[in-house]
Amino acid sequence: MDLFAPRLKPFVDLLPVPPRHVAKEPSRLTIRLQTVNHRFHRDLPPSRVWAYDGHVPGPTIEVDRRTELEVRWENHLSGPLPVVVTRAPVHAAGGIPVQCVAGRSGGEADPLPAALSGYAVAHLHGALTQATSDGWTENLIGPGQSTVDTYQNDQRAALLWYHDHVMGITRFDLYAGLAGLWIVRDARERELKLPEGPPYELPLMLADRNFDTAADGSLTGRLLHKTDPEVMECFSPFTTVNGAIWPEVEVEPTTYRFRVLNGSNARTYRLVLTREGQPDHDRIRQIGSDGGLLVAPVLLPAEGLVLASAERADILIDFSDLSVGTELTLWNNAPSPFNGAFADPSTAGTADLEGLLPYPEVLRFRVIDGPRVAPMPRPVLATDFQRADASQLEGCPVRAIALVELESSREGEPSMLTMRELAEGDGTDESELTLVESGTGQTEQVKRWRTVATRFEDKTNFFPEMGRAEIWRLINLTGDTHPIHVHLDAFQIISRQPAVVELPEGGITDTGTRATVRIGQPAGDGIQHGLDANELGLKDTVRVNANEVIEILVCFRTFAGRYMYHCHILEHEDRDMMRPFVVMPAELMPFM
Ligand SMILES: [Cu+2]
């Protein structure tokens, strides 16, 4: 029996482009959350989805900088959740990991998600938004209700995205279809004469999905969120681009601008472009990341473009030298779960079952006839941004956050992934985290940190002062990469350092985090612990790989109020890998 049957044909559907709403002046628009049918592939029956304005992804909102928009979010959803949720044994018949195949693979449908009626809250990811409109995870609207949010759009041009953010079930609401793109444009971008809108500027929203099967093994089209007892994240076998599985896009022999977003729940992509079986990256320049334009265009990393959940890339691809009929293929070359390890780009296009990658296909480009022009990107892109130098880091308050895996006390339950906020300790607490770093010369600096919060609902500890820069240190004690997203202002990644992590038996408890982390020591794990050129711009989501400590420079300049930061692997975010922070104006600090 072929466990890969039923296999859908790749590259038969044309790349869909979501409907656009171009807002030229301040205005109010209504976005309806609707339950509709959506077809993910020509040969797949329609799927029931929850979708913004009935589209997967939702309409792309395009707006000029400083053009305020009010959005009335109208919830017309009707339950139940249009996704079957199961936890199946680790391996299906034939020893193949269950997450590689369609269907329930022996898992029972979970009755709790099946009872969800459609509570929702929209968050505009990457936006500089006032706190009351930021989509606080517990401020929900039920079916039949609506809310109005205000988006100032006063920020650098960038690709943002809006998506659902409901406490505890974000993974199901996004999987059901609640996501859409939002593009802010500004004068600097227009000076650069970059393509704006179709056909030469196209969004590519990647997201992996799985589907249920009927008794005869055929795909029913019903969305399926399947995990297994060892892997709490949902890694699905079929990659969709703008809501279509493995589509094809026809391109003229010129330069295209692609706005790429990884909108998956958990899967990290390492994108490799091939022509005639060989990597063909020289024709690609990356010009922007999460927070907008880079200072200068950069080449893709040789091993491919890595995008974890919620990360974005603004890329130009030059097809001008190619003859009509040429095909180029975009593959995913990253195993799941992802930890940051190197993958050989020449293996792109091969399945990796142990890496939960049965189908590496993503997208095909096919060159058609058209005007042959090759506009090149300008050597200087952003003019409003510079990397912080050492003097700007001096004296900044430093906060420390540990990313921790806590084994469940209940048998058969997967581990919890959590974030732990730390405060400087005095060495009297048994369960402190010890950070060791080499100072100048041979001296070692040793600092002890005690745990002050482990759950989302624990008391708030982070009260950053508005306008004052801070360094947040993200210390990964787990074996996998976590894309950490901070709401509100974009940040700079200051450093990515290797670390040797020692976790004593029983060191991680409900309240304590006993571990020793030696920063700067080679971890011997084959992971390249450094910043890629495309990570030197402004970011709102940063990958923290295994055996790694990341420092980011945050500064909240515009809005006060209560916001969140969290892991953007949605299965982690929903299980407490999320914490609040409150931005305070300096003048209010004495009254706290
Ligand atoms: Cu995580």
Side-chain angles (χ1 to χ4, degrees), residues 233 403 417-418 478 480-484 566-573 577:
E233 307 86 8
L403 315 179
L417 278 300
T418 66
T478 80
D480 299 316
T481 299
H482 299 272
I484 302 299
H566 57 87
C567 179
H568 219 287
I569 290 178
L570 304 182
E571 285 79 12
H572 296 180
E573 168 188 340
M577 206 164 189

Side-chain angles (χ1 to χ4, degrees), residues 526-587:
I527 300 173
Q528 166 82 41
H529 298 283
L531 292 175
D532 287 334
N534 61 12
E535 295 184 299
L536 302 179
L538 285 166
K539 295 277 292 170
D540 57 49
T541 305
V542 58
R543 296 187 303 276
V544 189
N545 298 312
N547 306 321
E548 199 159 278
V549 174
I550 290 263
E551 286 186 330
I552 59 174
L553 184 67
V554 302
C555 186
F556 305 103
R557 295 170 198 282
T558 312
F559 293 110
R562 185 168 286 264
Y563 294 89
M564 300 173 286
Y565 70 102
H566 57 87
C567 179
H568 219 287
I569 290 178
L570 304 182
E571 285 79 12
H572 296 180
E573 168 188 340
D574 279 345
R575 298 278 308 270
D576 255 359
M577 206 164 189
M578 176 156 78
R579 286 285 301 158
F581 65 89
V582 177
V583 180
M584 293 295 298
E587 66 191 56

Side-chain angles (χ1 to χ4, degrees), residues 312-535:
R312 283 93 75 204
D314 191 350
I315 59 174
L316 300 177
I317 307 184
D318 177 3
F319 300 102
S320 66
D321 61 316
L322 300 172
S323 52
V324 172
T326 304
E327 290 176 341
L328 299 98
T329 310
L330 197 62
W331 306 96
N332 180 23
N333 200 29
S336 295
F338 183 80
N339 67 0
F342 173 81
D344 183 349
S346 70
T347 64
T350 28
D352 171 8
L353 295 188
E354 283 315 304
L356 306 182
L357 184 68
Y359 310 127
E361 292 90 345
V362 176
L363 179 69
R364 170 154 296 168
F365 302 94
R366 196 161 52 79
V367 180
I368 58 168
D369 210 5
R372 204 167 275 275
V373 277
M376 286 300 293
R378 308 267 192 91
V380 175
L381 300 170
T383 49
D384 62 342
F385 161 72
Q386 279 184 326
R387 298 276 301 164
D389 60 29
S391 70
Q392 285 164 281
L393 305 179
E394 218 157 275
C396 287
V398 177
R399 302 187 192 273
I401 301 130
L403 315 179
V404 172
E405 181 166 351
L406 172 68
E407 266 179 47
S408 174
S409 50
R410 275 183 289 179
E411 184 131 357
E413 288 275 315
S415 305
M416 292 273 288
L417 278 300
T418 66
M419 309 226 279
R420 295 183 160 196
E421 289 173 358
L422 309 172
E424 274 190 62
D426 53 14
T428 56
D429 188 339
E430 281 281 282
S431 58
E432 286 179 347
L433 179 93
T434 307
L435 275 187
V436 183
E437 49 196 318
S438 312
T440 40
Q442 295 299 312
T443 54
E444 267 189 354
Q445 204 191 346
V446 180
K447 271 209 177 132
R448 313 256 293 166
W449 296 80
R450 68 197 158 85
T451 303
V452 292
T454 63
R455 301 292 179 115
F456 180 71
E457 305 290 0
D458 285 354
K459 87 174 172 63
T460 305
N461 299 300
F462 287 8
F463 292 87
E465 183 182 308
M466 196 190 284
R468 183 169 186 205
E470 301 192 344
I471 295 168
W472 289 15
R473 229 172 194 200
L474 303 161
I475 304 157
N476 193 349
L477 305 181
T478 80
D480 299 316
T481 299
H482 299 272
I484 302 299
H485 168 49
V486 182
H487 286 214
L488 205 56
D489 299 64
F491 54 78
Q492 286 187 47
I493 311 173
I494 304 168
S495 64
R496 166 176 283 142
Q497 288 185 279
V500 172
V501 176
E502 291 164 23
L503 278 178
E505 183 86 24
I508 306 293
T509 63
D510 275 337
T511 52
T513 313
R514 187 151 51 87
T516 303
V517 178
R518 295 173 194 282
I519 301 179
Q521 289 205 1
D525 52 12
I527 300 173
Q528 166 82 41
H529 298 283
L531 292 175
D532 287 334
N534 61 12
E535 295 184 299

Side-chain angles (χ1 to χ4, degrees), residues 237-261:
F238 304 98
T239 288
T240 68
V241 187
N242 297 349
I245 295 170
W246 312 317
E248 179 183 81
V249 58
E250 294 177 339
V251 292
E252 294 169 15
T254 182
T255 294
Y256 280 69
R257 181 183 189 191
F258 295 101
R259 314 297 298 267
V260 194
L261 157 71

